Amino acid sequence: MSERTINVAMIGLGFGAEFIPIYQAHPNANVIAICRRDEASLQKTGDMFGIEKRYTDYDDVLADPDVDFVHINSPIPDHAWMSLRALDAGKHVMCTVPMATTIDECRQIVEKVAETGLKYMMAETVVYSREYLYIKQLYESGELGKVQYMQASHPQDMQGWPEYWERMIPMHYATHVVSPVLGLVDGLAEYVSCFGSGSINNELAKKSGNPYAVESCHIKIKDSDTAAHIWRFLFDTARQYRESFDVYGTKKSFEWSLVEGEPHVLHTAKLPEHEIASHVEIPDFAHLLPEPIQKFTQSIEDAGHLSFIQGGGHGGSHPHLVHEMISSLLEDRDPLPNAVTSANWTCVGICAHESTMKGGELVRLPEFTLQKPQARKTVGAS
């Protein structure tokens, strides 16, 4: 690695504060500034981590010449405008999911990245989780054989979360299930068909404009004979939290455990029936990271945060996200996922909900999201 140091400003310090110690331990990163609207919370975090520059105004962060990029962890409605304003100010962007909640906002970000030459990365946790990295390793080694089908689910009870989640449409927060089925095969979604099922209470339906409890979507992958199925819900459906990813290949198939904490299952073709299924232990992938941040695949600072309680620590993904963004800036390459891929992953959900409201009609992804996928990053490559 280079000896160069990249300066990041952390925007949003609830979930976002979890990343501060990772950046501070990374050999090529420095948290130069933090930003939060709440002054008391801002000062508390600044004192805790010894960060001198503290801003309550986002525009002041963008005016700071020492900031190389912003890591945005603000509420979802702020993602698009904050990303665009940062790019206009000459700052690279890493933003938590989703990229935006409208196709037009996604288009603006893609166009702005192309215009400025700056880097944009959507900080999608699943494609850096240990489970995904394990499946990716099986795929790239040829152990799965030809991938025949994929499915992913993300049931989550959002009761007790900030109020803006009550205005959220399930498929507008679908990147945790879209990203693995597309990322594994380095594909882009071409078109979708989605159905709504069941109903949520009238108050929630009025707030969100979505009457359905569950949205269930099929994705056609461009230039491929492979399809995938994803489903989401946020309210009024009984299910333990789960971010699952199942892959069915000609040689082996991987199925996520049904219950948190139970082992995953690997199916091997052509064995005697009682030997086909076996439990599998997922290894950690900390060895892919610089030694100073390897511990963060297992260490969670704020273990009481709902995001970590329900998400199981996001599969050890956080230090991988940090390292990917820093590495992309040091190496002057697109991060994974870049702006176009992030837009495709995000627009799957937006188009899926459009399909839901049209009774399952096919909805095609916008052309600006269908550019050639970036070169695959091989698991274990430096």
Side-chain angles (χ1 to χ4, degrees), residues 97-152:
V97 301
M99 177 186 243
T101 56
T102 70
I103 288 175
D104 186 58
E105 289 170 332
C106 291
R107 179 186 292 107
Q108 289 180 56
I109 293 171
V110 168
E111 290 175 350
K112 188 66 65 175
V113 167
E115 172 190 324
T116 61
L118 294 165
K119 313 297 183 192
Y120 174 94
M121 176 181 175
M122 184 173 69
E124 173 50 62
T125 55
V126 171
V127 292
Y128 288 97
S129 68
R130 60 181 67 90
E131 292 86 359
Y132 176 86
L133 294 176
Y134 174 75
I135 298 169
K136 187 79 166 176
Q137 190 174 70
L138 292 179
Y139 172 70
E140 292 184 343
S141 69
E143 287 189 59
L144 294 179
K146 180 182 182 295
V147 172
Q148 302 284 48
Y149 185 67
M150 294 174 285
Q151 61 183 14

Side-chain angles (χ1 to χ4, degrees), residues 265-281:
V265 178
L266 199 64
H267 298 264
T268 303
K270 312 309 179 188
L271 293 178
E273 190 67 24
H274 68 282
E275 297 179 11
I276 290 174
S278 61
H279 289 151
V280 60
E281 293 293 329

Side-chain angles (χ1 to χ4, degrees), residues 12 34 55 68 81 94 109 119 170-171 174 195 205 235 260 327:
I34 54 176
Y55 298 105
D68 295 313
W81 74 261
M94 179 155 78
I109 293 171
K119 313 297 183 192
M171 277 294 169
F195 287 91
F235 296 102
E260 178 72 24
S327 298

